Amino acid sequence: MSQPRYIYPFEEGDGRDKMRLGGKGANLCTMMQIGLDVPPGFVITTDACLAYLDAQALPPGLMAEVRASVAALERKTGKGFGNAANPLLVSVRSGSAMSMPGMMDTILNLGLNPATLQGLIAQTGNPRFAYDAWRRFVQLFGKIAMGVPDDAFDAAMVTLKKKTGATQDVDLSADALSMLADDFLALYVAHTGSPFPADPYEQLELAIAAVFRSWNGKRAIDYRRQFRITPAMANGTAVNVCTMVFGNMGEDSATGVGFTRNPATGENAIYGEYLTNAQGEDVVAGIRTPKPIAAMAQEMPDLHSQLVALRDRLEAHYHEVQDFEFTIEKGRLYCLQTRNGKMNARAMVRTSVEMAQEGLVTMAQALLRINPMLLEQLLVPTLAPGHARKALAQGLPASPGAASGRIVFDADTAEQRAKEGEKVILVREETKPEDIHGFFAAEGILTSRGGKTSHAAVVARGMGKPCVSGCEAIHIDVRARHAEVGGTVLREGDIITLDGTTGNVYPGKIPTVEAEFFPELVTLLEWADANARLRVKANADTPADAVRARKYGAKGIGLARTERMFNDPARLPIVQEMILADTPEARKSALDRLLPIQRGDFKGIFTAMAGLPVTVRLLDPPMHEFLPTAAQLEYEISHLRTLPRMGRSIADLPETLRLIDPELPRDYVDSLGKLGQSLAEYRESKRDDAALVRREAMLKKVHQLTEVNPMLGHRGVRLGMTYPEIYEMQIRAIMEAAAECMLEGIDARPEIMVPQVATAEELKRVRAIVDAVRAEIEQRHGVRLHFNFGSMVEVVRACLRAARLAEIAEFFSFGTNDLSQATFSFSREDAENKFLPFYIETGILRDNPFEVLDIYGVGELMKLAVEWGRAARPDLEIGICGEHGGHPDSVRFCHDIGLDYVSCSAPRVPIARLAAAQAKLRVTGAKAAA
Ligand code: ADP
Ligand code: MG
Ligand code: MG
């Protein structure tokens, strides 16, 4: 068997074979083959690299192939490798299938030695240029091929500049550079213990081996681990040997880098920088300040138009924005590298739309080229670019966006200060459902505990407010009303800035820039809707949320949680009264007061969503969530109990104190007297008794309601079964709101959804309430109500009994948060606080199932439920309303298993819209390819 071919000249390599040629090599081949001006060269494959690493030696025959390839270069260029009269110089460049900054740098000007150096001087008549090339080569070869430390070279350069009075590299004369090169050579010998190799082939062989070794260098290995680059993505590095072209041959020479379009704005104009009379990395290294490419139109108009032509050819070929390197040697433009340009989200969107409009890409390509998660950046406020503030601490980026405000340590203070017109940031160890009014009031939320799916994170994301969670460096002392981070003390009222996109917390105020739906984003999302099968709805609990959901393009509300309305501080006392009620009558009286409030809420949402469906979920959480904790109540009760005793002691206090100090000042005694008196008044009015009685009753109820596993306890439809009057009130509120809307000509489209359903009988009983209330309201208002009745599917049994449930439910909505907990038998909080991080770090689980839908387990149950549900009711509408509904991979899965819609928090709606289009386009694309 003949040995594999290790070398491909740029004219022959297959540009699609990035695994073998590396990204840089593959594109050099392509550019050469489509007729762009690329200096001749060849690629040594990654196979050769792997063979070298395996055997710790260059594979047999490789150097013979290298010599033959160099000979071919000599023929193409008319120069000779090591030929003093007309020397061929090359660069040796690494390049794997994935771009990896951790890898080896490039050696330029290889082939120089004392003889070819003199040849170069004679040939160019430019000794300064030649010595400049020589000293660069000695340094690069020494550092990269032989590991001579950079500092040694840099120090020599600094000394020389001092000696000659030069401030910049370009100020150095030919003589100075010649001296520098001699210093460098001495350093080389001192560090390597051997003379600098003069034979160009020896230089080349050492350089190739060094590039191969760099694949297993620490930097490269760390980088691959960090970015999870597997051997399937990139295995070994290729080596590109490329004829040198010189941007440092005078004022008609230059080197530069460019983007075919502006990577920050997407504007369709060539963007980049160049330096005249410079080589290689001078532009990036910042040795001199480069000029914008626009300046070239004046300075070198002919070359500027050549550059524009190059840009057009690159885009026409790659159908993608390119990031390229070029060098101009004595008025001739060469392209040295190209790759797909990395852009920010805004530029991705604008270039997608414009390239499609220009006919450069199809609409499908325009939609597929954007990672949906990128859109998140566009829809939230961001910190004004260019701020130079240093972060105080970093937590988890739990909900994107940026905000500044004054620190408050509890929800009540947040609400109060916000009412006074202040911007506040709620800072807590962790948040609870009863903090909800604080979320409404705050600009952003910071917690010192909890993960990306903690209560704070989920609620903040739902409201589209920035949140940094789990910021463990911050120590909060709520009683003392201050927090401490790394020696800095933050007091209530101090201003901080949060960046929920990065997790950073800054002291003071940093200006932010608002997000906007710019025209290209609107167009792109319209295209997405036109190409998607899945509809995207939003989870929204208030009329304000609903308005925002519409703005983000939601096709309805897939989940309106009624309990969020219960938590409003004006209503909570009534809700508590309902819970504390001992008789059905007492409960009824509280419910009667809640009814008009809920009806108003629903009317608001239906109006904001007129013409689109609104799925209202009946009450779901366990009752105790609306009551204070037992610990809090016990604390308050013990204080109230000490009051009578305290009153007596204060009355006695002046006497007691006089025993110690007969001279006790008069006003001191008076004020103690006043205090005693007002305590006595409280006692007389029995207000302390009333407060005590209320709390004791509440505590009793809290004890009664205590459950070992509240999430698996008395909640959801189970509440509806035991306290049917609560569900009845909610159903009535929904229907009355719908009826009133109808009479006012508003197209309300309610859907009633029952949570936690496990058996058909539960659903049947709620349905019976629905039917009774409906009949009554239709008669009273003289209207015919149109609505759907359906079930959440979030209990394992519901999946298994889907056929039976579908006989009663007109729609299903997967509650994948609870369904994931139930399928894994993990309680989310415990899992995330205790073992889940370990599971993910050690690879027992690949992802957090509460962030990324587990399609293998939970997904199988969903598939069953879809299949069995539709078998019983072919037009069963099926959606998902868990947090997962806004995650692109989950959206794709939902498309694949045939759901009708996904519902997610409003800010995620655009992400889901794009993901839904991509899901369908990928399936169509795969079919077309098959
Ligand atoms: P990197 O991947 O770090 O950009 P490159 O191999 O592209 O490394 O090279 C580093 C610099 O040297 C770039 O500015 C590149 O344009 C320049 N360069 C590489 N090869 C040549 C060559 N044959 N002639 C002129 N400049 C070159
Ligand atoms: Mg490069
Ligand atoms: Mg649930």
Side-chain angles (χ1 to χ4, degrees), residues 24 91 93 106 108 242-245 280-281 325 327 336-337:
K24 194 183 284 172
S91 62
R93 320 166 66 183
T106 293
L108 300 175
C242 183
T243 307
M244 283 303 300
V245 287
E281 270 156 339
E325 293 173 359
T327 284
L336 288 171
Q337 188 180 330

Side-chain angles (χ1 to χ4, degrees), residues 98-113:
M98 305 280 294
S99 162
M100 281 179 44
M103 296 258 314
M104 200 198 87
D105 299 318
T106 293
I107 301 177
L108 300 175
N109 310 328
L110 187 137
L112 278 178
N113 58 29

Side-chain angles (χ1 to χ4, degrees), residues 9 41 47 204 242 256 495 508 582 686 755 781 799 907 921:
D47 296 331
L204 189 53
C242 183
I495 296 183
D582 286 325
K686 304 232 183 274
H781 290 278
C799 296
L921 290 169

Side-chain angles (χ1 to χ4, degrees), residues 340-357:
N340 291 346
K342 285 207 171 62
M343 282 166 279
N344 68 15
R346 196 186 175 97
M348 279 304 280
V349 171
R350 176 160 173 190
T351 52
S352 256
V353 170
E354 291 186 349
M355 289 197 303
Q357 285 164 344

Side-chain angles (χ1 to χ4, degrees), residues 369-393:
R369 103 187 233 283
I370 301 175
N371 176 353
M373 290 309 289
L374 260 189
L375 298 186
E376 198 163 52
Q377 290 174 20
L378 293 177
L379 301 162
V380 294
T382 46
L383 291 182
H387 78 87
R389 207 72 66 82
K390 214 173 128 343
L392 271 180

Side-chain angles (χ1 to χ4, degrees), residues 121-132:
I121 295 173
Q123 197 184 27
T124 61
N126 189 342
R128 193 194 171 281
F129 154 72
Y131 283 116
D132 190 40

Side-chain angles (χ1 to χ4, degrees), residues 292-507:
I293 280 180
M296 197 189 273
Q298 269 87 54
E299 198 180 19
M300 312 174 167
D302 172 47
L303 283 158
H304 184 262
S305 36
Q306 281 189 44
L307 202 62
V308 172
L310 170 64
R311 171 209 115 100
D312 291 346
R313 307 241 353 232
L314 285 174
E315 280 203 347
H317 180 79
Y318 287 100
H319 304 285
E320 181 54 271
V321 176
Q322 295 295 298
D323 163 0
F324 62 101
E325 293 173 359
F326 62 92
T327 284
I328 298 165
E329 180 182 296
K330 291 190 163 299
R332 181 164 173 194
L333 174 72
Y334 294 91
C335 193
L336 288 171
Q337 188 180 330
T338 193
R339 60 186 166 200
N340 291 346
K342 285 207 171 62
M343 282 166 279
N344 68 15
R346 196 186 175 97
M348 279 304 280
V349 171
R350 176 160 173 190
T351 52
S352 256
V353 170
E354 291 186 349
M355 289 197 303
Q357 285 164 344
E358 291 158 22
L360 207 54
V361 298
T362 62
M363 191 190 277
Q365 286 167 329
L367 288 165
L368 284 168
R369 103 187 233 283
I370 301 175
N371 176 353
M373 290 309 289
L374 260 189
L375 298 186
E376 198 163 52
Q377 290 174 20
L378 293 177
L379 301 162
V380 294
T382 46
L383 291 182
H387 78 87
R389 207 72 66 82
K390 214 173 128 343
L392 271 180
Q394 190 177 24
L396 299 171
S399 174
S404 305
R406 291 186 188 279
I407 295 175
V408 291
F409 290 109
D410 66 77
D412 291 341
T413 315
E415 187 173 49
Q416 190 189 326
R417 296 199 116 177
K419 266 197 197 129
E420 292 159 10
E422 261 180 40
K423 293 196 181 314
V424 298
I425 304 277
L426 180 60
V427 180
R428 307 273 296 152
E429 276 194 333
E430 58 190 346
T431 60
K432 296 235 164 61
E434 62 262 27
D435 291 326
I436 193 78
H437 55 298
F439 280 73
F440 284 123
E443 306 296 311
I445 291 89
L446 169 63
T447 68
S448 60
R449 287 213 302 258
K452 284 206 246 178
T453 51
S454 62
H455 175 265
V458 173
V459 175
R461 273 205 294 278
M463 294 186 182
K465 295 195 175 185
C467 174
V468 174
S469 69
C471 191
E472 289 170 2
I474 296 193
H475 302 280
I476 300 171
D477 186 339
V478 180
R479 295 245 165 113
R481 307 212 83 77
H482 69 57
E484 187 268 332
V485 48
T488 308
V489 174
L490 299 169
R491 286 177 209 291
E492 195 150 65
D494 287 355
I495 296 183
I496 54 169
T497 299
L498 301 183
D499 186 348
T501 312
T502 59
N504 279 330
V505 181
Y506 300 90

